[in-house]
Coordinates of all heavy atoms in Angstrom, one line a residue:
M52 N 40.5 -70.7 -28.4 CA 41.6 -69.8 -28.3 C 41.2 -68.5 -29.0 O 40.6 -68.5 -30.0 CB 42.8 -70.6 -29.1 CG 44.0 -69.8 -29.2 SD 45.4 -70.5 -30.1 CE 45.2 -72.2 -29.9
P53 N 41.6 -67.4 -28.3 CA 41.3 -66.1 -28.9 C 42.1 -65.9 -30.2 O 43.1 -66.4 -30.4 CB 41.8 -65.1 -27.8 CG 42.0 -65.9 -26.6 CD 42.3 -67.3 -27.0
P54 N 41.5 -65.0 -31.1 CA 42.1 -64.8 -32.4 C 43.5 -64.3 -32.3 O 44.4 -64.6 -33.1 CB 41.2 -63.8 -33.1 CG 39.9 -63.9 -32.4 CD 40.2 -64.4 -31.0
F55 N 43.8 -63.5 -31.3 CA 45.1 -62.9 -31.1 C 46.2 -64.0 -30.9 O 47.3 -64.0 -31.4 CB 45.2 -62.0 -29.9 CG 46.5 -61.5 -29.6 CD1 47.1 -60.5 -30.3 CD2 47.2 -62.0 -28.5 CE1 48.4 -60.0 -30.0 CE2 48.5 -61.6 -28.2 CZ 49.1 -60.5 -28.9
A56 N 45.8 -65.1 -30.2 CA 46.8 -66.2 -29.9 C 47.2 -66.9 -31.1 O 48.3 -67.5 -31.2 CB 46.1 -67.1 -28.9
A57 N 46.3 -66.9 -32.2 CA 46.6 -67.6 -33.4 C 47.8 -67.0 -34.1 O 48.5 -67.7 -34.9 CB 45.4 -67.6 -34.3
Y58 N 48.1 -65.8 -33.9 CA 49.2 -65.1 -34.6 C 50.6 -65.3 -33.9 O 51.6 -65.0 -34.5 CB 48.9 -63.6 -34.7 CG 47.8 -63.3 -35.6 CD1 46.5 -62.9 -35.1 CD2 47.9 -63.3 -37.0 CE1 45.5 -62.7 -35.9 CE2 46.9 -63.1 -37.8 CZ 45.6 -62.8 -37.3 OH 44.6 -62.5 -38.1
A59 N 50.6 -65.7 -32.6 CA 51.8 -65.9 -31.9 C 52.2 -67.3 -31.9 O 51.4 -68.3 -31.7 CB 51.6 -65.4 -30.5
P60 N 53.5 -67.6 -32.1 CA 54.0 -69.0 -32.0 C 53.8 -69.5 -30.6 O 53.8 -68.8 -29.6 CB 55.5 -68.9 -32.3 CG 55.7 -67.6 -33.0 CD 54.6 -66.7 -32.5
A61 N 53.6 -70.8 -30.5 CA 53.2 -71.4 -29.2 C 54.3 -71.1 -28.1 O 54.0 -71.0 -26.9 CB 53.1 -73.0 -29.3
E62 N 55.6 -71.1 -28.5 CA 56.7 -70.9 -27.6 C 56.6 -69.5 -26.9 O 57.1 -69.3 -25.8 CB 58.1 -71.0 -28.3 CG 58.3 -72.2 -29.1 CD 57.7 -72.0 -30.5 OE1 58.0 -71.1 -31.2 OE2 56.9 -72.9 -30.9
I63 N 56.1 -68.5 -27.6 CA 56.1 -67.1 -27.0 C 54.7 -66.6 -26.8 O 54.4 -65.4 -26.6 CB 56.9 -66.2 -27.9 CG1 56.3 -66.0 -29.3 CG2 58.3 -66.5 -27.9 CD1 56.8 -64.9 -30.1
R64 N 53.7 -67.5 -26.8 CA 52.3 -67.0 -26.6 C 52.0 -66.2 -25.4 O 51.4 -65.2 -25.4 CB 51.4 -68.2 -26.8 CG 49.9 -67.8 -27.1 CD 49.1 -69.0 -27.5 NE 49.5 -69.4 -28.8 CZ 49.4 -70.6 -29.3 NH1 48.9 -71.5 -28.6 NH2 49.8 -70.9 -30.5
G65 N 52.6 -66.7 -24.3 CA 52.5 -65.9 -23.0 C 53.1 -64.5 -23.0 O 52.5 -63.6 -22.6
S66 N 54.2 -64.4 -23.7 CA 54.9 -63.1 -23.8 C 54.0 -62.2 -24.7 O 53.9 -61.0 -24.6 CB 56.3 -63.2 -24.4 OG 57.1 -64.0 -23.5
A67 N 53.4 -62.8 -25.8 CA 52.6 -62.0 -26.7 C 51.4 -61.5 -26.0 O 51.0 -60.3 -26.2 CB 52.1 -62.9 -27.9
F68 N 50.8 -62.3 -25.1 CA 49.6 -61.8 -24.3 C 50.0 -60.6 -23.4 O 49.3 -59.7 -23.1 CB 48.9 -62.9 -23.6 CG 47.9 -63.6 -24.4 CD1 48.1 -64.9 -24.8 CD2 46.7 -63.0 -24.8 CE1 47.2 -65.6 -25.6 CE2 45.8 -63.7 -25.5 CZ 46.0 -65.0 -25.9
G69 N 51.3 -60.8 -22.8 CA 51.8 -59.8 -21.9 C 52.0 -58.5 -22.7 O 51.7 -57.4 -22.2
L70 N 52.6 -58.5 -23.9 CA 52.8 -57.4 -24.7 C 51.5 -56.7 -25.1 O 51.3 -55.5 -25.0 CB 53.6 -57.8 -25.9 CG 53.9 -56.6 -26.9 CD1 54.7 -55.5 -26.2 CD2 54.6 -57.1 -28.2
L71 N 50.5 -57.5 -25.4 CA 49.1 -57.0 -25.8 C 48.6 -56.2 -24.6 O 48.0 -55.1 -24.7 CB 48.2 -58.1 -26.2 CG 46.7 -57.7 -26.5 CD1 46.7 -56.8 -27.7 CD2 45.9 -59.0 -26.7
A72 N 48.6 -56.8 -23.4 CA 48.1 -56.2 -22.2 C 48.8 -54.9 -21.9 O 48.2 -53.9 -21.5 CB 48.2 -57.1 -21.0
T73 N 50.1 -54.9 -22.1 CA 50.9 -53.6 -21.9 C 50.5 -52.5 -22.8 O 50.3 -51.4 -22.4 CB 52.4 -54.0 -22.0 OG1 52.8 -55.0 -21.1 CG2 53.2 -52.7 -21.7
V74 N 50.4 -52.8 -24.1 CA 50.0 -51.8 -25.1 C 48.6 -51.3 -24.8 O 48.4 -50.1 -24.9 CB 50.1 -52.4 -26.5 CG1 49.5 -51.5 -27.5 CG2 51.6 -52.7 -26.8
Q75 N 47.7 -52.2 -24.5 CA 46.3 -51.8 -24.2 C 46.3 -50.9 -22.9 O 45.6 -49.9 -22.9 CB 45.4 -53.0 -23.9 CG 45.1 -53.7 -25.2 CD 44.3 -55.0 -25.0 OE1 44.3 -55.6 -23.9 NE2 43.4 -55.3 -25.9
S76 N 47.1 -51.2 -21.9 CA 47.1 -50.4 -20.7 C 47.6 -49.0 -21.0 O 47.1 -48.0 -20.4 CB 47.8 -51.1 -19.6 OG 49.3 -51.1 -19.9
F77 N 48.7 -48.9 -21.8 CA 49.2 -47.5 -22.1 C 48.1 -46.7 -22.9 O 48.0 -45.5 -22.7 CB 50.5 -47.6 -22.9 CG 51.7 -47.9 -22.0 CD1 52.5 -49.0 -22.2 CD2 52.0 -47.1 -21.0 CE1 53.6 -49.3 -21.4 CE2 53.2 -47.3 -20.1 CZ 53.9 -48.5 -20.4
G78 N 47.5 -47.4 -23.8 CA 46.4 -46.7 -24.6 C 45.3 -46.3 -23.7 O 44.7 -45.2 -23.8
N79 N 44.9 -47.1 -22.7 CA 43.8 -46.7 -21.8 C 44.2 -45.5 -21.0 O 43.4 -44.6 -20.7 CB 43.4 -47.9 -21.0 CG 42.6 -48.9 -21.7 OD1 42.1 -48.7 -22.7 ND2 42.7 -50.2 -21.2
F80 N 45.5 -45.6 -20.5 CA 46.0 -44.5 -19.7 C 46.0 -43.2 -20.4 O 45.6 -42.2 -19.9 CB 47.4 -44.9 -19.1 CG 48.0 -43.8 -18.3 CD1 47.6 -43.6 -17.0 CD2 49.0 -43.0 -18.7 CE1 48.1 -42.6 -16.2 CE2 49.5 -42.0 -18.0 CZ 49.1 -41.8 -16.8
A81 N 46.6 -43.2 -21.6 CA 46.6 -42.0 -22.5 C 45.3 -41.4 -22.7 O 45.1 -40.2 -22.6 CB 47.4 -42.3 -23.7
A82 N 44.3 -42.2 -23.1 CA 43.0 -41.8 -23.4 C 42.3 -41.2 -22.2 O 41.6 -40.2 -22.3 CB 42.1 -43.0 -23.9
S83 N 42.5 -41.8 -21.0 CA 42.0 -41.3 -19.8 C 42.5 -39.9 -19.4 O 41.8 -39.0 -19.0 CB 42.2 -42.2 -18.7 OG 41.5 -43.5 -18.9
V84 N 43.8 -39.8 -19.6 CA 44.5 -38.5 -19.3 C 43.9 -37.4 -20.2 O 43.6 -36.3 -19.8 CB 46.0 -38.6 -19.4 CG1 46.7 -37.2 -19.4 CG2 46.5 -39.5 -18.3
I85 N 43.9 -37.7 -21.5 CA 43.5 -36.7 -22.5 C 42.0 -36.4 -22.2 O 41.6 -35.2 -22.3 CB 43.7 -37.2 -23.9 CG1 45.2 -37.3 -24.2 CG2 43.0 -36.3 -25.0 CD1 45.6 -38.0 -25.5
A86 N 41.2 -37.4 -22.0 CA 39.7 -37.1 -21.8 C 39.6 -36.3 -20.5 O 38.7 -35.5 -20.5 CB 39.0 -38.5 -21.7
G87 N 40.3 -36.6 -19.5 CA 40.2 -35.9 -18.2 C 40.6 -34.4 -18.4 O 40.0 -33.5 -17.8
L88 N 41.7 -34.2 -19.1 CA 42.1 -32.8 -19.4 C 41.1 -32.1 -20.2 O 40.8 -30.9 -19.9 CB 43.5 -32.8 -20.2 CG 44.7 -33.2 -19.3 CD1 45.9 -33.3 -20.2 CD2 44.9 -32.2 -18.2
L89 N 40.5 -32.7 -21.2 CA 39.5 -32.1 -22.0 C 38.3 -31.8 -21.1 O 37.7 -30.7 -21.3 CB 39.1 -33.0 -23.2 CG 40.0 -33.0 -24.4 CD1 39.6 -34.0 -25.4 CD2 40.0 -31.6 -25.1
W90 N 37.9 -32.7 -20.3 CA 36.7 -32.5 -19.4 C 36.9 -31.3 -18.5 O 36.1 -30.5 -18.3 CB 36.6 -33.8 -18.5 CG 35.3 -33.8 -17.7 CD1 35.0 -33.0 -16.7 CD2 34.2 -34.6 -17.9 NE1 33.8 -33.3 -16.1 CE2 33.2 -34.3 -16.9 CE3 33.8 -35.7 -18.7 CZ2 32.0 -34.9 -16.7 CZ3 32.6 -36.3 -18.6 CH2 31.8 -35.9 -17.6
T91 N 38.2 -31.2 -18.0 CA 38.5 -30.1 -17.0 C 38.6 -28.8 -17.7 O 38.1 -27.8 -17.2 CB 39.8 -30.4 -16.3 OG1 39.7 -31.7 -15.6 CG2 40.2 -29.3 -15.3
V92 N 39.2 -28.7 -18.9 CA 39.5 -27.5 -19.6 C 38.3 -27.0 -20.4 O 38.0 -25.9 -20.4 CB 40.8 -27.6 -20.4 CG1 41.0 -26.4 -21.3 CG2 42.0 -27.9 -19.6
A93 N 37.7 -28.0 -21.2 CA 36.7 -27.6 -22.2 C 35.3 -28.0 -21.9 O 34.4 -27.6 -22.4 CB 37.2 -28.1 -23.6
G94 N 35.2 -29.0 -20.9 CA 33.9 -29.5 -20.6 C 33.7 -30.9 -21.0 O 34.3 -31.4 -21.9
P95 N 32.6 -31.5 -20.5 CA 32.3 -32.9 -20.8 C 32.0 -33.2 -22.3 O 32.2 -34.3 -22.8 CB 31.1 -33.3 -19.9 CG 30.6 -32.1 -19.4 CD 31.7 -31.0 -19.5
T96 N 31.4 -32.2 -22.9 CA 31.0 -32.4 -24.3 C 32.2 -32.6 -25.2 O 32.2 -33.5 -26.0 CB 30.2 -31.2 -24.9 OG1 29.1 -30.9 -24.1 CG2 29.8 -31.4 -26.3
W97 N 33.3 -31.9 -25.0 CA 34.5 -32.1 -25.7 C 35.2 -33.5 -25.5 O 35.8 -34.1 -26.3 CB 35.5 -31.0 -25.5 CG 35.1 -29.7 -26.2 CD1 34.4 -28.7 -25.7 CD2 35.3 -29.5 -27.6 NE1 34.2 -27.8 -26.7 CE2 34.7 -28.2 -27.8 CE3 35.9 -30.2 -28.6 CZ2 34.7 -27.7 -29.1 CZ3 35.9 -29.6 -29.9 CH2 35.4 -28.3 -30.1
A98 N 35.1 -33.9 -24.2 CA 35.7 -35.1 -23.8 C 35.0 -36.2 -24.5 O 35.6 -37.2 -25.0 CB 35.7 -35.3 -22.3
F99 N 33.7 -36.3 -24.4 CA 32.9 -37.3 -25.1 C 33.0 -37.2 -26.6 O 33.1 -38.3 -27.3 CB 31.4 -37.2 -24.7 CG 31.1 -37.8 -23.4 CD1 30.9 -37.0 -22.3 CD2 31.0 -39.2 -23.3 CE1 30.6 -37.6 -21.1 CE2 30.7 -39.8 -22.1 CZ 30.5 -38.9 -20.9
A100 N 33.2 -36.0 -27.2 CA 33.4 -35.9 -28.6 C 34.7 -36.5 -29.0 O 34.8 -37.2 -30.1 CB 33.3 -34.4 -29.0
Y101 N 35.8 -36.3 -28.2 CA 37.1 -36.9 -28.5 C 37.0 -38.4 -28.5 O 37.5 -39.0 -29.4 CB 38.0 -36.3 -27.5 CG 39.4 -37.1 -27.4 CD1 40.4 -36.9 -28.4 CD2 39.6 -37.9 -26.4 CE1 41.5 -37.5 -28.3 CE2 40.8 -38.6 -26.3 CZ 41.8 -38.4 -27.3 OH 43.0 -39.1 -27.3
L102 N 36.4 -38.9 -27.5 CA 36.4 -40.4 -27.4 C 35.4 -41.0 -28.5 O 35.7 -42.1 -29.0 CB 35.8 -40.8 -26.0 CG 36.9 -40.4 -24.8 CD1 36.2 -40.6 -23.5 CD2 38.2 -41.1 -25.0
T103 N 34.4 -40.3 -28.8 CA 33.5 -40.7 -29.8 C 34.2 -40.8 -31.2 O 34.1 -41.8 -32.0 CB 32.3 -39.9 -29.9 OG1 31.6 -39.9 -28.7 CG2 31.3 -40.3 -31.0
G104 N 35.1 -39.8 -31.4 CA 35.8 -39.8 -32.7 C 36.8 -41.0 -32.7 O 36.9 -41.6 -33.8
W105 N 37.4 -41.4 -31.7 CA 38.3 -42.6 -31.7 C 37.5 -43.9 -31.9 O 37.9 -44.8 -32.6 CB 39.1 -42.7 -30.4 CG 40.3 -41.8 -30.4 CD1 40.5 -40.7 -29.7 CD2 41.5 -42.0 -31.2 NE1 41.8 -40.2 -30.0 CE2 42.3 -41.0 -30.9 CE3 41.8 -43.0 -32.1 CZ2 43.6 -40.9 -31.5 CZ3 43.1 -42.9 -32.7 CH2 43.9 -41.9 -32.4
M106 N 36.2 -43.9 -31.3 CA 35.4 -45.1 -31.5 C 34.9 -45.2 -32.9 O 34.9 -46.3 -33.5 CB 34.2 -45.1 -30.5 CG 34.6 -45.3 -29.1 SD 33.2 -45.5 -28.0 CE 32.2 -44.1 -28.3
I107 N 34.6 -44.2 -33.5 CA 34.2 -44.2 -34.9 C 35.4 -44.6 -35.8 O 35.1 -45.4 -36.7 CB 33.6 -42.8 -35.3 CG1 32.3 -42.6 -34.6 CG2 33.5 -42.7 -36.9 CD1 31.8 -41.1 -34.8
L108 N 36.5 -44.0 -35.6 CA 37.7 -44.4 -36.4 C 38.0 -45.9 -36.2 O 38.3 -46.6 -37.2 CB 38.9 -43.6 -35.9 CG 40.2 -43.9 -36.6 CD1 40.1 -43.7 -38.1 CD2 41.4 -43.2 -36.0
A109 N 37.9 -46.4 -35.0 CA 38.1 -47.8 -34.8 C 37.1 -48.7 -35.5 O 37.5 -49.7 -36.1 CB 38.1 -48.2 -33.3
A110 N 35.9 -48.3 -35.4 CA 34.8 -49.0 -36.2 C 35.0 -49.1 -37.7 O 34.9 -50.1 -38.3 CB 33.5 -48.4 -35.8
I111 N 35.4 -47.9 -38.2 CA 35.7 -47.9 -39.6 C 36.9 -48.8 -40.0 O 36.8 -49.6 -40.9 CB 36.0 -46.4 -40.1 CG1 34.7 -45.6 -40.0 CG2 36.6 -46.4 -41.5 CD1 34.9 -44.1 -40.2
L112 N 38.0 -48.7 -39.2 CA 39.1 -49.6 -39.5 C 38.8 -51.1 -39.3 O 39.3 -51.9 -40.1 CB 40.3 -49.2 -38.6 CG 40.9 -47.8 -38.8 CD1 42.0 -47.5 -37.8 CD2 41.5 -47.8 -40.3
L113 N 38.0 -51.4 -38.3 CA 37.6 -52.8 -38.1 C 36.7 -53.3 -39.3 O 36.9 -54.5 -39.7 CB 36.9 -53.0 -36.8 CG 37.8 -53.0 -35.6 CD1 37.0 -53.0 -34.4 CD2 38.7 -54.2 -35.6
T114 N 35.9 -52.5 -39.8 CA 35.0 -53.0 -40.9 C 35.7 -53.0 -42.2 O 35.3 -53.7 -43.2 CB 33.8 -52.1 -41.0 OG1 34.1 -50.7 -41.2 CG2 32.9 -52.2 -39.7
R115 N 36.9 -52.3 -42.4 CA 37.5 -52.2 -43.7 C 38.7 -53.2 -43.7 O 39.3 -53.3 -44.7 CB 38.0 -50.8 -44.0 CG 36.7 -49.9 -44.0 CD 37.1 -48.5 -44.4 NE 36.3 -48.4 -45.7 CZ 36.9 -47.9 -46.8 NH1 38.1 -47.5 -46.9 NH2 36.1 -47.8 -47.9
T116 N 39.1 -53.8 -42.6 CA 40.2 -54.6 -42.6 C 39.8 -56.1 -42.8 O 39.0 -56.6 -42.1 CB 41.0 -54.6 -41.2 OG1 41.3 -53.2 -40.9 CG2 42.2 -55.4 -41.1
P117 N 40.3 -56.7 -43.9 CA 39.9 -58.1 -44.2 C 40.4 -59.0 -43.1 O 41.5 -58.8 -42.6 CB 40.5 -58.4 -45.5 CG 41.6 -57.4 -45.7 CD 41.3 -56.2 -44.9
P118 N 39.6 -60.0 -42.7 CA 40.1 -61.0 -41.7 C 41.2 -61.9 -42.3 O 41.2 -62.2 -43.5 CB 38.9 -61.8 -41.4 CG 38.0 -61.6 -42.6 CD 38.3 -60.3 -43.1
R119 N 42.1 -62.2 -41.5 CA 43.2 -63.1 -41.9 C 42.8 -64.5 -41.5 O 42.7 -64.8 -40.2 CB 44.5 -62.8 -41.3 CG 45.7 -63.7 -41.6 CD 47.0 -63.3 -41.0 NE 47.9 -64.3 -41.3 CZ 48.6 -65.0 -40.3 NH1 48.4 -64.7 -39.1 NH2 49.5 -65.9 -40.7
L120 N 42.5 -65.4 -42.4 CA 42.1 -66.8 -42.1 C 43.4 -67.6 -41.9 O 44.3 -67.6 -42.7 CB 41.2 -67.3 -43.2 CG 40.0 -66.6 -43.5 CD1 39.2 -67.2 -44.7 CD2 39.1 -66.5 -42.3
V121 N 43.4 -68.3 -40.7 CA 44.5 -69.2 -40.4 C 44.0 -70.6 -40.4 O 43.0 -70.9 -39.7 CB 45.0 -68.8 -38.9 CG1 46.2 -69.8 -38.6 CG2 45.5 -67.4 -38.9
P122 N 44.6 -71.5 -41.2 CA 44.2 -72.9 -41.2 C 44.3 -73.5 -39.8 O 45.2 -73.1 -39.0 CB 45.2 -73.5 -42.2 CG 45.7 -72.4 -43.0 CD 45.7 -71.2 -42.1
A123 N 43.4 -74.4 -39.5 CA 43.4 -75.0 -38.2 C 44.7 -75.6 -37.8 O 45.1 -75.6 -36.6 CB 42.2 -76.0 -38.1
F124 N 45.4 -76.2 -38.7 CA 46.6 -76.9 -38.4 C 47.8 -76.0 -38.0 O 48.7 -76.3 -37.5 CB 47.1 -77.9 -39.5 CG 47.4 -77.1 -40.8 CD1 48.7 -76.6 -41.0 CD2 46.5 -77.0 -41.8 CE1 48.9 -75.9 -42.2 CE2 46.7 -76.4 -43.0 CZ 48.0 -75.8 -43.2
E125 N 47.6 -74.7 -38.3 CA 48.6 -73.7 -38.0 C 48.4 -73.1 -36.6 O 49.2 -72.4 -36.1 CB 48.6 -72.6 -39.0 CG 49.3 -72.9 -40.3 CD 49.4 -71.7 -41.2 OE1 49.2 -70.6 -40.8 OE2 49.6 -71.9 -42.4
L126 N 47.2 -73.3 -36.0 CA 46.9 -72.6 -34.8 C 47.7 -73.2 -33.6 O 48.1 -72.4 -32.8 CB 45.4 -72.8 -34.5 CG 44.4 -72.0 -35.4 CD1 43.0 -72.3 -35.0 CD2 44.7 -70.6 -35.3
D127 N 48.0 -74.5 -33.6 CA 48.7 -75.0 -32.5 C 49.4 -76.2 -32.9 O 48.9 -77.2 -33.4 CB 47.7 -75.4 -31.3 CG 48.4 -75.6 -30.0 OD1 49.6 -75.5 -29.9 OD2 47.6 -75.8 -29.0
E128 N 50.8 -76.2 -32.7 CA 51.6 -77.3 -33.2 C 51.4 -78.5 -32.3 O 51.6 -79.7 -32.8 CB 53.1 -76.9 -33.1 CG 53.4 -75.9 -34.2 CD 53.7 -74.5 -33.6 OE1 53.9 -74.4 -32.4 OE2 53.5 -73.6 -34.4
N129 N 51.0 -78.4 -31.0 CA 50.8 -79.5 -30.1 C 49.4 -79.4 -29.5 O 49.2 -78.9 -28.4 CB 51.9 -79.5 -29.1 CG 51.9 -80.7 -28.2 OD1 51.1 -81.6 -28.4 ND2 52.7 -80.7 -27.2
P130 N 48.4 -79.9 -30.2 CA 47.0 -79.8 -29.7 C 46.8 -80.6 -28.4 O 45.8 -80.3 -27.7 CB 46.2 -80.4 -30.8 CG 47.1 -81.2 -31.7 CD 48.4 -80.7 -31.4
S131 N 47.6 -81.5 -28.0 CA 47.3 -82.3 -26.8 C 47.8 -81.5 -25.6 O 47.5 -81.9 -24.4 CB 48.1 -83.6 -26.9 OG 49.5 -83.5 -27.0
A132 N 48.6 -80.5 -25.7 CA 49.2 -79.8 -24.6 C 48.2 -78.7 -24.0 O 47.3 -78.3 -24.7 CB 50.5 -79.1 -24.9

């Protein structure tokens, strides 16, 4: 089970994955539009610099955020399903 699924109750797990996909798609769309505009207006160097900045920020946040450990019995109320 992916780590994201451990945070959603079993009853709404499908909806949680749908919400995650929706948020990711809007983020991908926005990043593509901004990078495309930068590429057109300022050149490819600025577009790559913009995207590199977001990647560095994400890497910093991922390395500084402590993992949340979920006991195995909390992951799924009905392991046979």
Side-chain angles (χ1 to χ4, degrees):
M52 181 181 326
F55 173 76
Y58 293 103
E62 309 84 52
I63 62 166
R64 196 164 290 150
S66 296
F68 275 109
L70 178 62
L71 174 65
T73 301
V74 170
Q75 287 177 330
S76 67
F77 281 121
N79 288 340
F80 178 74
S83 297
V84 168
I85 293 170
L88 288 172
L89 282 171
W90 187 294
T91 302
V92 173
T96 303
W97 284 98
F99 279 103
Y101 166 76
L102 296 173
T103 301
W105 278 110
M106 288 190 305
I107 291 170
L108 177 64
I111 290 169
L112 291 175
L113 283 172
T114 57
R115 303 189 114 227
T116 304
R119 177 177 175 239
L120 300 177
V121 179
F124 63 86
E125 286 184 13
L126 292 178
D127 199 353
E128 290 104 26
N129 189 2
S131 62

